[in-house]
Amino acid sequence: MDYYDFFTGLFTDYTTQVIGLGTAFLGLMSGVLGVFAVLRKQSLLGDAVAHASLPGIAMAFILSGTKNTLLIFGGAALAGWLATFWISSIVKNTRIKSDAALAIVLAVFFGFGLVLLTFIQRMENANQAGLETYLFGQAATLLRQDVISMGAIAAFAIIVILLLWKELKLITFDPQFARSLGFSQRWMDMVVNTLIVLSIVIGLQTVGVILMSALLIAPAAAARQWTNRMSGMIVLSGIFGILSGVVGTGISSVGNNLSTGPVIVLVSVMIVVISFVFAPGRGLMALAWQKNKNRKSLALNTLLQGMYDTCRSHQNIKHEHSLAIIKTLPGYNRKTLKALRHEGLVSITKENEWCLTDLGISKAGEAIKSGRMI
Amino acid sequence: MSTPQIEIQWIAALVAVSCAIPGVFLVLRKMAMVSDAISHAILPGIVVGFLVAGSLNSPLLIILAAATGLFTVVLVELISKTRLVKEDAAIGLVFPALFSIGVILISRNVANVHIDTDAVLMGEIAFAPFDRLVVWGYDIGPQNAWVMQAILLLNILFVFLFFKELKLSTFDSGLAASLGFAPVAINYALMSLVSVTTVGAFDAVGAILVVALMIVPAATAYLLTDNLKTMLFIAVAIGIVSAIAGYWLARFIDASISGSMATMCGFLFFVVFIFAPQRGLLSILRRTSRQKLEFAQMTLAIHIFNHSGENDNLEERRKSHLNKHLSWDKKFSEAIVQQSLNKGLIKLDGELISLTEKGQSFVVAAQRLISSKNHPEFSSLRKEFIIFSE
């Protein structure tokens, strides 16, 4: 399969459509819910929950003996939810801080999951082949019923978000105010944590437990750079998520036998890098440009004011100075002087001497009086 | 026990101890998730190092991979410095990206890298005894054991030599800086140590379970002591116990050794989390319920005191009135009245409650305490009036 096959397959081939749709649901869901995780500074909670869902997956298989998607989702969600519960219990009741609580729960649950997984490998059950795909994800294993389950969960989560939109916005940006209005902290945490757990669960089969958290964080972190509005951020993050999911799956199905998870994650991180660099307003390039502009305008001001001060010490405010004298003024460099001339604030005489123009005098006077830049 | 069995347990214990030592400082510095980041992010370093050096135990690979770990820390700091995203999101972006690169490198089988993803996740401690270190024709033990012994020695030396600096920069980095202890340098030294230890442990227990061995014993010890040295020793002991017990659990149920080690760490943590004296869940619950009762008795005494004037309505002092006035339910009022009676703070005249002399001096002392807000004195109050014995 090459890229052309995959992307035309999205419109023609049934299997590709199923897989494409599944990864799109997954990207949408993690993009949308990641916004809450990132804005609430809970990015790493997703990491802990994702790792922690492994024993749930294995347990569901051991108890049921089948690889029923809904059962596996249920086991994963239960384990993930237990993990969030234990993390908050550790943080609330002991002096262990949240970072260590996350690390403890993540590593211990995952270790226990690996114990169960190796235990399953030694069980005499032919069905077990394929639980490993939950580690790094394999989009090719997505079946029609998996995608239906994923779609149902995504729809449920998005309906919950729409219904609780105002409340979620409030508890995301001003939890103290929310508490003062009578929302209980426990209730707020539970709603958001449950949503995060659901978005993790939905990605297990495609992205895997180890890397799922990145797909939660990356689209939201990228979207944050482009907008300051939460609604805009959610839409954009959803789009980035879908893009990462579908493009990543495409690339991995072309390079045969590549686990989907790492590819999807790298695609989503590329989107983040692009956003970091190019986003208007916040991006690194915009910042560098702004900084450069500020520096230039500061130099212009300093030089203009320096010339103004020097001229004022003479009888004639339009007193002309040679370049040698101007060179000693603070903020002087050739470009700055040129720029001042270009703006019509200074002019050069026939004797190669510089003086302020009328405009320059009034601007410099104003700037000094008001303390503002020109 | 056969020799390989002993050797596996020896390596497991070495790994656990080497991890527990820097882990203590990570937990105290609130940097536990950094170990998670490093342990994932060293993977591409290990793959590339493997290509260059050809063995998982070569010093070159350890240095290369440890450099990747340090690079991760620096990258996270650089990204959070741009303030485009918060630090937690920066961590959560950097290490999955690096880990993904590592996994892709492995699964593309670049130049026949002989590590598979199973080894990445669980390590290969069961096979560690097969890689022998032969010096001048003598077999002196498994390679990985020697690597871990060297790393453990490095860890012990570092903590021993820089104990004062580590302690000060951990608990008060501002003071450390002003006294010229270079907390930044100490921080990077510690991060290098974490990276080196992680790489060394990678061969035995894989990328993710290193986190369990670093953070869980340290956090467990944190619940048991206030003393840094004691904490180090407890963490080391817990590490060793989990390593050995984990090995036998794995043998018993025929499952992953490293996974069982992490599970044992978690089990020990859970036991301490529930039962630890003072900081365990049970003693916290007991303490809160005791404080609730103490506070209720104080409230009752003050309430009665406030309504003991000549002209006061006797209704206020009736037992049945408590639920209206203090919004206590009947059972709770009954219990509190009974307890105060037992302590001799109040006396009952039918339904009517009045303070004893002891009760009155209790109220005076309590009010003085409340208005002075001097909390340490509360324990003396408790002793004097034995509200509720400890």
Coordinates of all heavy atoms in Angstrom, one line a residue, chain A residues 41-43 47 51 86 89-90 93-97 99-100 103-104 106-108 110-112 114-115 118-119 122 135-136 210-211 214 217-218 221 225 258 262 265-266 276 282, chain B residues 30-32 36 40 83-84 86 88-89 92-93 95-97 99-100 103-104 107 121-122 208-209 212 219 222 225-226 254-256 259-260 263 266 269-270 273 279 281 284:
Chain A
K41 N -3.9 22.0 33.7 CA -2.5 21.6 34.0 C -2.5 20.1 34.5 O -1.9 19.8 35.5 CB -1.9 22.5 35.1 CG -1.8 23.9 34.7 CD -1.1 24.8 35.7 CE -1.4 26.2 35.5 NZ -2.7 26.6 36.1
Q42 N -3.3 19.3 33.9 CA -3.4 17.9 34.2 C -2.8 17.0 33.1 O -3.2 15.9 33.0 CB -4.8 17.5 34.5 CG -5.3 18.0 35.8 CD -6.7 17.5 36.1 OE1 -7.5 17.5 35.2 NE2 -7.0 17.1 37.3
S43 N -1.9 17.6 32.3 CA -1.4 16.8 31.2 C -0.9 15.5 31.5 O -1.2 14.5 30.8 CB -0.3 17.6 30.5 OG -0.7 18.9 30.1
D47 N -1.2 10.6 31.1 CA -0.2 9.6 31.0 C -0.4 8.5 32.0 O -0.3 7.4 31.7 CB 1.2 10.4 31.2 CG 2.3 9.5 30.9 OD1 2.2 8.7 29.9 OD2 3.4 9.6 31.6
H51 N -1.3 4.5 31.1 CA -0.5 3.4 31.6 C -1.3 2.5 32.5 O -1.2 1.3 32.5 CB 0.8 3.9 32.3 CG 1.9 4.3 31.4 ND1 1.8 5.5 30.8 CD2 3.0 3.8 31.0 CE1 2.9 5.7 30.1 NE2 3.7 4.7 30.2
W86 N -7.2 6.8 43.1 CA -6.1 6.6 44.1 C -5.1 7.8 44.1 O -4.6 8.2 45.1 CB -5.3 5.3 43.7 CG -4.5 4.8 44.8 CD1 -4.6 5.1 46.2 CD2 -3.4 3.9 44.8 NE1 -3.7 4.4 46.9 CE2 -2.9 3.7 46.1 CE3 -2.8 3.2 43.7 CZ2 -1.9 2.8 46.4 CZ3 -1.7 2.4 44.0 CH2 -1.3 2.2 45.3
S89 N -6.6 10.5 46.1 CA -6.6 10.1 47.5 C -5.2 10.2 48.1 O -5.0 10.7 49.3 CB -7.0 8.6 47.7 OG -6.8 8.1 48.9
I90 N -4.1 9.9 47.4 CA -2.8 10.0 47.9 C -2.5 11.5 48.1 O -2.0 11.9 49.1 CB -1.7 9.4 46.9 CG1 -1.9 7.9 46.9 CG2 -0.3 9.8 47.3 CD1 -1.0 7.3 45.8
N93 N -4.6 13.0 51.1 CA -4.4 12.5 52.5 C -3.0 12.4 52.9 O -2.7 12.4 54.1 CB -5.0 11.1 52.6 CG -6.5 11.1 52.5 OD1 -7.1 11.9 53.1 ND2 -7.0 10.2 51.7
T94 N -2.0 12.4 52.0 CA -0.6 12.3 52.5 C 0.1 13.5 52.0 O -0.4 14.4 51.3 CB 0.1 11.1 52.0 OG1 0.4 11.3 50.6 CG2 -0.8 9.9 52.1
R95 N 1.4 13.6 52.5 CA 2.2 14.8 52.1 C 2.9 14.5 50.7 O 3.7 15.3 50.3 CB 3.2 15.1 53.1 CG 4.1 13.9 53.5 CD 5.2 14.4 54.5 NE 6.0 13.4 55.0 CZ 7.0 13.6 55.8 NH1 7.3 14.8 56.2 NH2 7.7 12.5 56.3
I96 N 2.7 13.3 50.1 CA 3.2 13.0 48.8 C 2.6 14.0 47.8 O 1.4 14.1 47.7 CB 3.0 11.6 48.4 CG1 3.8 10.7 49.4 CG2 3.4 11.3 47.0 CD1 3.5 9.2 49.2
K97 N 3.4 14.6 47.0 CA 2.9 15.6 46.0 C 2.3 14.9 44.8 O 2.6 13.7 44.6 CB 4.0 16.6 45.6 CG 4.5 17.4 46.8 CD 3.5 18.3 47.4 CE 4.0 19.1 48.6 NZ 4.4 18.2 49.7
D99 N 3.1 14.9 41.7 CA 4.0 14.3 40.7 C 4.4 12.9 41.1 O 4.3 12.0 40.3 CB 5.3 15.2 40.6 CG 6.0 15.3 41.9 OD1 5.4 15.5 42.9 OD2 7.2 15.0 41.9
A100 N 4.7 12.7 42.4 CA 5.1 11.4 42.9 C 3.9 10.5 42.8 O 4.0 9.3 42.5 CB 5.7 11.5 44.3
A103 N 3.5 9.3 39.4 CA 4.5 8.3 39.0 C 4.3 7.0 39.7 O 4.4 5.9 39.1 CB 5.9 8.8 39.4
I104 N 3.9 7.0 41.0 CA 3.6 5.7 41.7 C 2.5 4.9 41.0 O 2.7 3.8 40.6 CB 3.2 6.0 43.1 CG1 4.3 6.6 43.9 CG2 2.6 4.8 43.8 CD1 3.9 7.2 45.3
L106 N 1.1 5.3 38.0 CA 1.5 4.9 36.6 C 2.4 3.6 36.6 O 2.0 2.6 36.0 CB 2.2 6.1 36.0 CG 2.8 6.1 34.6 CD1 3.0 7.5 34.2 CD2 4.2 5.4 34.6
A107 N 3.4 3.7 37.4 CA 4.4 2.6 37.3 C 3.9 1.3 37.9 O 4.1 0.2 37.3 CB 5.7 3.0 37.9
V108 N 3.2 1.4 39.0 CA 2.7 0.2 39.7 C 1.6 -0.5 38.9 O 1.7 -1.7 38.7 CB 2.3 0.6 41.1 CG1 1.5 -0.6 41.7 CG2 3.4 0.9 42.0
F110 N 1.1 -0.2 35.7 CA 1.6 -0.7 34.5 C 2.4 -2.0 34.7 O 2.3 -3.0 34.0 CB 2.5 0.4 33.8 CG 3.0 0.0 32.5 CD1 2.1 0.1 31.4 CD2 4.3 -0.5 32.2 CE1 2.5 -0.3 30.1 CE2 4.7 -0.8 30.9 CZ 3.8 -0.7 29.9
G111 N 3.2 -2.0 35.8 CA 3.9 -3.2 36.2 C 3.0 -4.4 36.4 O 3.2 -5.5 35.9
F112 N 1.9 -4.1 37.1 CA 1.0 -5.2 37.4 C 0.3 -5.6 36.1 O 0.1 -6.8 35.9 CB -0.1 -4.6 38.4 CG -1.1 -5.7 38.8 CD1 -0.6 -6.9 39.3 CD2 -2.4 -5.5 38.6 CE1 -1.6 -7.8 39.7 CE2 -3.4 -6.4 39.0 CZ -2.9 -7.6 39.6
L114 N 1.8 -5.6 33.2 CA 2.7 -6.5 32.5 C 2.7 -7.9 33.1 O 2.9 -8.9 32.4 CB 4.1 -5.9 32.5 CG 4.3 -4.7 31.6 CD1 5.7 -4.2 31.8 CD2 4.0 -5.0 30.2
V115 N 2.6 -8.0 34.4 CA 2.5 -9.3 35.1 C 1.3 -10.1 34.5 O 1.5 -11.2 34.1 CB 2.4 -9.1 36.6 CG1 2.1 -10.5 37.3 CG2 3.7 -8.6 37.2
T118 N 2.0 -11.1 30.8 CA 2.9 -12.3 30.7 C 2.2 -13.5 31.2 O 2.4 -14.6 30.7 CB 4.2 -12.1 31.4 OG1 3.9 -11.5 32.7 CG2 5.1 -11.2 30.7
F119 N 1.3 -13.4 32.2 CA 0.5 -14.5 32.7 C -0.4 -15.0 31.6 O -0.5 -16.2 31.4 CB -0.2 -14.0 33.9 CG -1.1 -15.0 34.6 CD1 -0.5 -16.1 35.3 CD2 -2.5 -15.0 34.4 CE1 -1.3 -17.0 35.9 CE2 -3.3 -16.0 35.0 CZ -2.7 -17.0 35.8
R122 N 1.0 -17.2 28.9 CA 1.2 -18.6 29.2 C 0.0 -19.4 29.4 O 0.0 -20.5 29.7 CB 2.1 -18.7 30.5 CG 3.6 -18.5 30.1 CD 4.3 -17.7 31.1 NE 5.5 -17.1 30.4 CZ 6.3 -16.2 30.9 NH1 6.0 -15.7 32.1 NH2 7.2 -15.6 30.2
L135 N -0.3 -2.2 23.6 CA 0.8 -1.5 24.1 C 1.2 -0.3 23.2 O 1.3 0.8 23.6 CB 2.0 -2.4 24.3 CG 1.9 -3.4 25.4 CD1 3.0 -4.4 25.3 CD2 1.8 -2.8 26.7
F136 N 1.4 -0.6 21.9 CA 1.8 0.5 21.0 C 0.7 0.8 19.9 O 0.9 1.6 19.1 CB 3.1 0.1 20.3 CG 4.2 0.1 21.2 CD1 4.9 -1.1 21.5 CD2 4.7 1.3 21.8 CE1 5.9 -1.1 22.4 CE2 5.7 1.3 22.6 CZ 6.4 0.1 23.0
I210 N 0.9 3.3 26.1 CA 2.1 4.0 26.5 C 2.1 5.4 25.9 O 2.6 6.4 26.5 CB 3.3 3.2 26.0 CG1 3.3 1.9 26.8 CG2 4.6 4.0 26.3 CD1 4.3 0.9 26.2
L211 N 1.6 5.6 24.7 CA 1.7 6.9 24.0 C 0.4 7.6 23.9 O 0.4 8.8 23.4 CB 2.3 6.6 22.6 CG 3.7 6.1 22.6 CD1 4.2 5.6 21.3 CD2 4.7 7.3 23.1
A214 N 0.2 11.4 24.8 CA 0.7 12.4 24.0 C -0.4 12.9 23.0 O -0.5 14.1 22.7 CB 1.9 11.9 23.2
I217 N -2.4 15.5 24.8 CA -1.7 16.8 25.0 C -1.5 17.6 23.7 O -1.7 18.8 23.6 CB -0.4 16.6 25.8 CG1 -0.7 15.8 27.1 CG2 0.3 17.9 26.1 CD1 0.6 15.4 27.7
A218 N -0.9 16.9 22.7 CA -0.3 17.6 21.6 C -1.4 18.4 20.8 O -1.1 19.6 20.6 CB 0.3 16.6 20.6
A221 N -2.2 21.4 22.9 CA -1.1 22.4 23.1 C -0.8 23.1 21.8 O -0.5 24.3 21.8 CB 0.2 21.6 23.4
Q225 N -1.9 27.7 20.8 CA -1.0 28.7 20.2 C -1.8 29.6 19.2 O -1.4 30.7 19.0 CB 0.2 28.1 19.5 CG 0.9 27.1 20.3 CD 1.3 27.5 21.7 OE1 1.6 28.7 21.9 NE2 1.1 26.6 22.6
L258 N 4.5 -1.1 10.9 CA 4.9 -0.1 11.9 C 3.7 0.0 12.9 O 2.6 0.1 12.5 CB 5.1 1.2 11.1 CG 6.3 2.1 11.5 CD1 7.5 1.3 11.5 CD2 6.4 3.2 10.4
P262 N 3.3 5.2 17.7 CA 4.4 6.2 17.6 C 4.3 7.1 16.4 O 4.7 8.3 16.5 CB 5.6 5.2 17.4 CG 5.2 3.9 18.0 CD 3.7 3.8 17.8
V265 N 1.7 9.8 17.2 CA 2.3 10.7 18.1 C 3.3 11.7 17.5 O 3.3 12.9 17.7 CB 3.0 10.0 19.3 CG1 3.9 10.9 20.1 CG2 2.0 9.3 20.2
L266 N 4.2 11.1 16.6 CA 5.1 12.0 15.9 C 4.4 13.0 15.0 O 4.8 14.2 15.0 CB 6.1 11.2 15.1 CG 7.2 10.5 16.0 CD1 8.2 9.7 15.2 CD2 7.9 11.5 16.8
F276 N 4.2 26.0 17.4 CA 5.1 26.8 18.3 C 5.9 27.8 17.4 O 6.1 28.9 17.9 CB 6.2 25.8 18.9 CG 5.7 25.2 20.2 CD1 4.4 25.3 20.6 CD2 6.5 24.4 20.9 CE1 3.9 24.7 21.7 CE2 6.1 23.8 22.1 CZ 4.8 23.9 22.5
R282 N 1.6 34.3 19.4 CA 2.3 33.6 20.4 C 3.5 32.9 20.0 O 4.4 32.6 20.8 CB 1.3 32.6 21.1 CG 0.4 33.2 22.1 CD -0.5 32.1 22.6 NE 0.2 31.0 23.3 CZ 0.2 30.9 24.6 NH1 -0.4 31.8 25.3 NH2 0.8 29.9 25.2
Chain B
K30 N 10.0 17.2 44.2 CA 8.8 17.2 43.4 C 9.1 17.0 41.9 O 8.5 17.7 41.0 CB 8.0 18.5 43.6 CG 7.7 18.7 45.1 CD 6.9 20.0 45.3 CE 6.9 20.4 46.7 NZ 8.1 21.1 47.1
M31 N 10.0 16.2 41.6 CA 10.4 16.0 40.2 C 10.2 14.5 39.8 O 10.9 14.0 38.9 CB 11.9 16.3 40.0 CG 12.2 17.8 40.3 SD 14.0 18.1 40.2 CE 14.1 18.2 38.4
A32 N 9.3 13.8 40.4 CA 9.1 12.4 40.2 C 8.8 12.1 38.7 O 9.3 11.2 38.1 CB 8.0 11.8 41.0
D36 N 10.1 9.7 34.9 CA 9.2 9.1 33.9 C 9.6 9.5 32.5 O 9.8 8.8 31.6 CB 7.8 9.4 34.2 CG 6.8 8.7 33.2 OD1 7.0 7.5 33.0 OD2 5.9 9.4 32.7
H40 N 11.6 7.2 29.5 CA 11.0 7.0 28.1 C 12.0 7.5 27.1 O 12.2 7.0 26.1 CB 9.7 7.7 28.0 CG 8.5 7.0 28.6 ND1 8.3 7.0 30.0 CD2 7.5 6.2 28.1 CE1 7.2 6.3 30.2 NE2 6.7 5.8 29.1
R83 N 7.2 29.7 27.6 CA 5.9 29.9 28.1 C 4.8 29.6 27.1 O 3.7 30.2 27.2 CB 5.7 31.3 28.7 CG 6.4 31.3 30.1 CD 6.2 32.5 30.8 NE 6.9 33.7 30.3 CZ 6.7 34.9 30.7 NH1 5.8 35.2 31.5 NH2 7.5 35.9 30.1
L84 N 5.1 28.9 26.0 CA 4.0 28.5 25.1 C 3.1 27.5 25.7 O 1.9 27.5 25.4 CB 4.7 28.0 23.8 CG 5.5 29.0 23.0 CD1 6.2 28.3 21.9 CD2 4.6 30.0 22.4
K86 N 2.6 25.0 29.6 CA 3.1 24.8 30.9 C 4.1 23.6 31.0 O 4.2 22.8 30.1 CB 1.9 24.5 31.8 CG 0.8 25.5 31.8 CD 1.2 26.6 32.8 CE 0.1 27.7 32.9 NZ -0.4 28.2 31.6
D88 N 4.2 20.9 32.7 CA 3.7 19.5 32.6 C 3.4 19.1 31.2 O 3.7 18.0 30.8 CB 2.4 19.3 33.5 CG 1.3 20.2 33.1 OD1 1.5 21.3 32.6 OD2 0.1 19.7 33.2
A89 N 2.8 20.0 30.4 CA 2.5 19.7 29.0 C 3.8 19.5 28.2 O 4.0 18.7 27.3 CB 1.7 20.8 28.4
G92 N 5.0 16.2 28.9 CA 4.1 15.2 28.2 C 4.3 15.2 26.7 O 3.8 14.4 26.1
L93 N 4.9 16.3 26.2 CA 5.2 16.3 24.7 C 6.5 15.7 24.4 O 6.6 15.0 23.4 CB 5.1 17.7 24.2 CG 3.7 18.3 24.1 CD1 3.8 19.8 23.8 CD2 2.9 17.6 23.0
F95 N 8.7 13.6 26.0 CA 9.1 12.2 26.1 C 8.4 11.2 25.2 O 9.0 10.3 24.7 CB 9.2 11.7 27.6 CG 7.9 11.4 28.2 CD1 7.3 10.2 28.0 CD2 7.4 12.3 29.1 CE1 6.2 9.8 28.6 CE2 6.2 11.9 29.7 CZ 5.6 10.7 29.5
P96 N 7.1 11.4 25.0 CA 6.4 10.5 24.0 C 7.1 10.7 22.6 O 7.2 9.7 21.9 CB 5.0 10.9 24.0 CG 4.8 11.6 25.3 CD 6.1 12.3 25.6
A97 N 7.4 11.9 22.2 CA 8.0 12.1 20.9 C 9.3 11.3 20.8 O 9.5 10.5 19.9 CB 8.3 13.6 20.7
F99 N 10.3 8.8 22.7 CA 10.1 7.4 22.8 C 9.5 6.8 21.5 O 9.9 5.7 21.1 CB 9.0 7.2 24.0 CG 8.9 5.8 24.4 CD1 9.8 5.1 25.1 CD2 7.7 5.1 24.1 CE1 9.7 3.8 25.5 CE2 7.5 3.7 24.5 CZ 8.5 3.1 25.2
S100 N 8.7 7.6 20.8 CA 8.2 7.1 19.6 C 9.3 6.9 18.6 O 9.3 5.9 17.8 CB 7.2 8.2 19.0 OG 6.1 8.4 19.9
V103 N 10.9 3.7 19.4 CA 10.1 2.5 19.0 C 10.2 2.3 17.5 O 10.3 1.2 17.0 CB 8.7 2.7 19.5 CG1 7.8 1.5 19.0 CG2 8.6 2.7 21.0
I104 N 10.0 3.4 16.7 CA 10.1 3.3 15.3 C 11.4 2.7 14.8 O 11.5 1.8 14.0 CB 9.7 4.6 14.6 CG1 8.3 4.9 14.8 CG2 10.0 4.6 13.1 CD1 7.8 6.2 14.3
S107 N 11.4 -0.9 15.6 CA 10.5 -1.8 14.8 C 10.9 -1.8 13.3 O 10.5 -2.7 12.6 CB 9.0 -1.4 15.0 OG 8.8 -0.1 14.6
L121 N 10.0 -2.7 27.3 CA 9.0 -2.6 28.3 C 9.3 -3.3 29.6 O 9.0 -2.8 30.7 CB 7.6 -3.0 27.8 CG 7.1 -2.2 26.6 CD1 5.8 -2.8 26.1 CD2 6.9 -0.8 27.1
M122 N 9.9 -4.5 29.5 CA 10.0 -5.3 30.7 C 11.5 -5.6 31.0 O 11.8 -6.2 32.1 CB 9.3 -6.6 30.5 CG 7.8 -6.4 30.3 SD 7.0 -8.0 30.2 CE 6.5 -8.1 28.5
I208 N 9.9 1.5 31.6 CA 8.9 2.1 32.3 C 8.9 1.7 33.8 O 8.6 2.5 34.7 CB 7.5 1.8 31.7 CG1 7.5 2.4 30.3 CG2 6.4 2.3 32.6 CD1 6.4 1.9 29.5
L209 N 9.4 0.5 34.1 CA 9.4 0.0 35.4 C 10.5 0.6 36.3 O 10.5 0.6 37.5 CB 9.4 -1.5 35.5 CG 8.2 -2.0 34.7 CD1 8.3 -3.5 34.6 CD2 6.9 -1.6 35.4
A212 N 9.0 2.8 38.7 CA 8.5 2.2 39.9 C 9.6 2.1 40.9 O 9.4 2.4 42.1 CB 7.9 0.9 39.6
A219 N 8.8 7.2 47.9 CA 7.6 7.8 48.4 C 7.1 7.0 49.7 O 6.6 7.6 50.6 CB 6.5 7.7 47.3
Y222 N 9.0 8.1 52.5 CA 8.6 9.5 52.9 C 7.4 9.5 53.9 O 7.2 10.4 54.7 CB 8.2 10.2 51.6 CG 8.0 11.7 51.7 CD1 8.9 12.5 52.5 CD2 7.1 12.4 50.9 CE1 8.7 13.8 52.6 CE2 6.9 13.8 51.0 CZ 7.8 14.5 51.8 OH 7.6 15.8 51.9
T225 N 9.1 8.5 57.7 CA 10.1 9.3 58.5 C 10.2 10.7 58.1 O 9.7 11.1 57.0 CB 11.5 8.6 58.3 OG1 12.4 9.4 59.0 CG2 11.9 8.5 56.9
D226 N 10.8 11.5 59.0 CA 11.0 12.9 58.7 C 12.5 13.2 58.4 O 12.9 14.3 58.2 CB 10.5 13.8 59.8 CG 9.0 13.9 59.8 OD1 8.4 13.8 58.8 OD2 8.5 14.1 60.9
D254 N 4.9 -17.6 37.2 CA 5.5 -17.6 35.9 C 5.1 -16.4 35.1 O 4.5 -16.5 34.1 CB 5.0 -18.9 35.2 CG 5.8 -19.2 33.9 OD1 6.9 -18.5 33.8 OD2 5.3 -19.9 33.1
A255 N 5.5 -15.2 35.6 CA 5.2 -14.0 34.9 C 6.5 -13.1 34.9 O 7.5 -13.5 35.3 CB 4.0 -13.3 35.5
S256 N 6.3 -11.9 34.3 CA 7.4 -11.0 34.1 C 8.1 -10.6 35.5 O 7.4 -10.3 36.4 CB 6.9 -9.7 33.4 OG 7.7 -8.6 33.9
G259 N 7.9 -6.8 36.1 CA 6.5 -6.4 36.5 C 6.2 -6.8 37.9 O 5.6 -6.0 38.6
S260 N 6.6 -7.9 38.3 CA 6.4 -8.4 39.7 C 7.1 -7.5 40.7 O 6.6 -7.2 41.8 CB 6.8 -9.8 39.9 OG 6.3 -10.6 38.9
T263 N 5.1 -4.5 41.0 CA 3.9 -4.9 41.8 C 4.1 -4.9 43.2 O 3.4 -4.4 44.1 CB 3.3 -6.2 41.3 OG1 3.2 -6.1 39.8 CG2 1.9 -6.5 41.9
G266 N 4.5 -1.6 44.7 CA 3.2 -1.0 44.8 C 2.4 -1.5 46.0 O 1.8 -0.8 46.8
F269 N 3.9 -0.1 49.1 CA 3.4 1.3 49.3 C 2.0 1.4 49.8 O 1.6 2.1 50.6 CB 3.5 2.1 47.9 CG 2.9 3.4 48.0 CD1 3.6 4.5 48.5 CD2 1.6 3.7 47.5 CE1 3.0 5.7 48.6 CE2 1.1 4.9 47.6 CZ 1.8 6.0 48.1
F270 N 1.2 0.5 49.2 CA -0.3 0.5 49.6 C -0.4 0.2 51.0 O -1.2 0.8 51.8 CB -1.0 -0.6 48.7 CG -2.5 -0.5 48.9 CD1 -3.3 0.5 48.4 CD2 -3.1 -1.5 49.7 CE1 -4.6 0.5 48.6 CE2 -4.5 -1.5 49.9 CZ -5.2 -0.5 49.3
F273 N 0.7 3.2 52.9 CA -0.3 4.2 52.7 C -1.5 4.0 53.6 O -2.1 5.0 54.1 CB -0.7 4.2 51.2 CG -1.9 5.1 50.8 CD1 -1.8 6.4 50.9 CD2 -3.1 4.5 50.4 CE1 -2.8 7.3 50.6 CE2 -4.1 5.3 50.0 CZ -4.0 6.7 50.1
R279 N 1.0 9.0 59.4 CA 0.7 9.5 58.0 C -0.2 8.6 57.2 O -0.5 8.8 56.0 CB 2.0 9.8 57.3 CG 2.8 10.9 57.9 CD 4.0 11.2 57.1 NE 5.1 11.7 57.9 CZ 5.0 12.8 58.6 NH1 4.0 13.6 58.5 NH2 6.1 13.2 59.3
L281 N -3.5 6.3 56.0 CA -4.9 6.7 55.8 C -5.7 6.4 57.1 O -6.5 7.3 57.5 CB -5.5 5.9 54.7 CG -6.7 6.5 54.0 CD1 -6.4 7.9 53.5 CD2 -7.1 5.6 52.8
I284 N -5.0 8.9 59.8 CA -5.5 10.2 59.5 C -7.0 10.2 59.8 O -7.6 11.1 60.4 CB -5.2 10.5 58.0 CG1 -3.8 10.8 57.8 CG2 -6.0 11.7 57.6 CD1 -3.3 10.9 56.4

